[in-house]
Amino acid sequence: MRQKLKYLNQTLFPQNNFFAPDWIVLGVNNTCNLHCKMCDVGVGYTESNFYQNLMGAQPLHMPLELFKNIVDQTVTHFPKAKLGLAFTEPLVYKHLYEGLKYAAEKKMFTSVTTNALNLRKIADKLIDAELNELYVSLDGPADVHNEIRGYKLSFEKAMEGIDYLLTQKKAPKISVYCVITQWNYNRLQEFLNYFKNRGLHEVGFMHTNYTPDVVANNHNVIYGQLYPATASNMQDIDMNAYDLPAILAEIKSIKQQTYPFKVSFSPDITELQKLELFYKKPEQFYGKRCHDIFRTMMIKSNGEVIPAHGRCYNLTIGNIYQNNLQHIWNSSIISKFRKDVTAAGGFLPACSRCCSAFN
């Protein structure tokens, strides 16, 4: 019943969100210690919304006082919401332990999304801070991952931390996520088999999130004044280098196997025609509507709040230093944005390959 009411709210009254957010996502710092080929930050493409959402705020590290203020407000206004530290690389955030510890004292659910390069160094502090879930981003077997990440021991260092945590009784649940790219598409099952005897919670594969110039330009003809779009995650990506029949073969082979943890694909594509739609026709939508603008908001290190998360438009909907979270969650700016997205059919043109379309 609750899900039906949410659906009715989102479709009939999108400008008035009657439900609290599920997630408060924090951009706790604006620095990364790797150089991922499929990421605007990693390749230094400063013009994209994604880059600006992750790297455009100052100070470099979210002040601990602001972090605590966000926790306090979330507990007061949205007691069931979860706190997700996802950008840019939380394990190098200088107040990570103190922030997580404070959230634990307030009984908040916390998660961290990381490349895990520094995981072993900080693993015991994560346990002591009672982190609930850890999401580790890896890109394939060691040689592939290290090539994509631009550091020859990044996979080994990540696994050192993962394997250590898996031996600890009070460690957070650990899930691994892999973006399918032109460099790893034919080694997905090999990657998955590497973890077969490890006690992970989930291994998830994500098809590439991307916005080519043509999609951004078409979007901006209509919405450029209100919600300007940019190309994203296209600098080193070549869609013609994706062997779609090979990707489908890997997916089908994986789905025929049994693993001791959940295995997921986002989106879950099992037909060649749909793979061709996803990778070759980015102007056509995949998914039905954006859900994240109704269930998530992201806060940057300077207190600015944007819709959903780092892949959304660089649209400031409020600032924690000026208004409280409850006000910002239904501010006039985000209310109009939700209404405009819904009126457009559930997506704006540049939303076509954002993960919010199919999660």
Side-chain angles (χ1 to χ4, degrees):
M1 177 61 70
R2 182 177 176 82
Q3 289 303 115
K4 289 182 178 179
L5 289 174
K6 280 189 173 183
Y7 174 78
L8 290 173
N9 185 181
Q10 294 175 17
T11 54
L12 300 179
F13 306 102
Q15 70 275 20
N16 296 308
N17 192 354
F18 300 116
F19 292 88
D22 296 326
W23 284 95
I24 306 297
V25 177
L26 301 187
V28 291
N29 62 357
N30 306 314
T31 184
C32 190
N33 48 9
L34 290 176
H35 301 281
C36 309
K37 290 183 176 183
M38 68 293 189
C39 173
D40 291 335
V41 174
V43 300
Y45 181 57
T46 62
E47 301 303 314
S48 76
N49 283 337
F50 184 66
Y51 184 99
Q52 290 300 319
N53 286 339
L54 270 61
M55 302 286 283
Q58 290 295 329
L60 185 66
H61 294 267
M62 178 180 285
L64 183 58
E65 295 76 15
L66 176 57
F67 189 107
K68 290 182 176 180
N69 183 16
I70 293 167
V71 169
D72 290 339
Q73 289 197 39
T74 303
V75 170
T76 299
H77 300 299
F78 311 121
K80 294 183 179 180
K82 299 177 180 180
L83 195 67
L85 283 64
F87 304 114
T88 295
E89 173 43 51
L91 293 195
V92 297
Y93 174 47
K94 67 180 181 179
H95 304 303
L96 179 63
Y97 172 72
E98 295 86 350
L100 289 174
K101 190 74 172 175
Y102 185 78
E105 291 171 359
K106 299 292 184 175
K107 309 300 181 184
M108 280 203 72
F109 179 101
T110 56
S111 73
V112 166
T113 301
T114 176
N115 62 36
L117 187 65
N118 293 341
L119 182 56
R120 180 61 188 91
K121 293 179 181 178
I122 200 171
D124 289 318
K125 287 188 174 182
L126 296 180
I127 295 172
D128 186 64
E130 301 178 55
L131 178 70
N132 296 102
E133 291 193 4
L134 184 71
Y135 308 130
V136 180
S137 176
L138 299 174
D139 295 317
D143 60 316
V144 176
H145 174 86
N146 293 343
E147 174 64 23
I148 292 173
R149 297 296 172 113
Y151 182 67
K152 64 180 181 180
L153 294 176
S154 56
F155 186 88
E156 290 80 0
K157 286 185 174 294
M159 289 311 307
E160 182 183 3
I162 290 172
D163 285 339
Y164 174 77
L165 283 175
L166 289 173
T167 66
Q168 304 303 301
K169 292 183 179 180
K170 295 184 179 181
K173 287 183 180 179
I174 303 174
S175 296
V176 169
Y177 292 92
C178 174
V179 178
I180 299 171
T181 65
Q182 67 202 62
W183 304 284
N184 67 10
Y185 66 78
N186 59 345
R187 299 182 67 181
L188 305 182
Q189 176 133 40
E190 177 188 347
F191 174 71
L192 194 56
N193 288 341
Y194 177 86
F195 296 99
K196 198 162 190 178
N197 296 318
R198 288 176 165 84
L200 298 178
H201 178 64
E202 180 178 357
V203 175
F205 294 98
M206 300 179 292
H207 290 282
T208 306
N209 295 163
Y210 67 102
T211 306
D213 280 320
V214 63
V215 170
N217 292 340
N218 289 340
H219 168 102
N220 287 333
V221 169
I222 307 171
Y223 296 102
Q225 294 298 316
L226 288 173
Y227 316 116
T230 65
S232 181
N233 296 344
M234 292 297 300
Q235 295 303 294
D236 285 6
I237 292 287
D238 179 5
M239 289 300 162
N240 293 320
Y242 287 66
D243 186 333
L244 300 185
I247 293 175
L248 184 61
E250 289 275 323
I251 292 172
K252 288 185 174 181
S253 179
I254 287 170
K255 285 180 173 288
Q256 291 174 353
Q257 306 299 315
T258 300
Y259 295 91
F261 41 74
K262 178 182 177 182
V263 178
S264 64
F265 289 87
S266 178
D268 191 5
I269 303 176
T270 56
E271 300 174 20
L272 183 59
Q273 183 179 5
K274 291 184 178 180
L275 276 178
E276 291 173 344
L277 167 65
F278 188 91
Y279 285 104
K280 303 297 184 181
K281 299 178 180 179
E283 71 283 356
Q284 296 185 28
F285 295 115
Y286 199 99
K288 295 182 179 180
R289 60 183 302 106
C290 177
H291 299 286
D292 283 350
I293 58 173
F294 295 95
R295 64 189 182 192
T296 304
M297 58 180 160
M298 175 179 157
I299 306 173
K300 300 181 184 182
S301 66
N302 60 359
E304 288 183 357
V305 186
I306 63 172
H309 49 70
R311 296 202 181 279
C312 202
Y313 301 93
N314 190 14
L315 176 69
T316 300
I317 63 174
N319 191 300
I320 297 299
Y321 288 116
Q322 299 167 2
N323 297 105
N324 64 43
L325 277 181
Q326 187 177 39
H327 172 83
I328 293 171
W329 181 236
N330 273 308
S331 70
S332 59
I333 299 174
I334 186 62
S335 294
K336 176 174 170 49
F337 181 59
R338 290 175 182 140
K339 184 177 180 180
D340 289 345
V341 172
T342 302
F347 301 117
L348 300 184
C351 304
S352 64
R353 292 300 175 269
C354 173
C355 55
S356 296
F358 33 82
N359 282 344

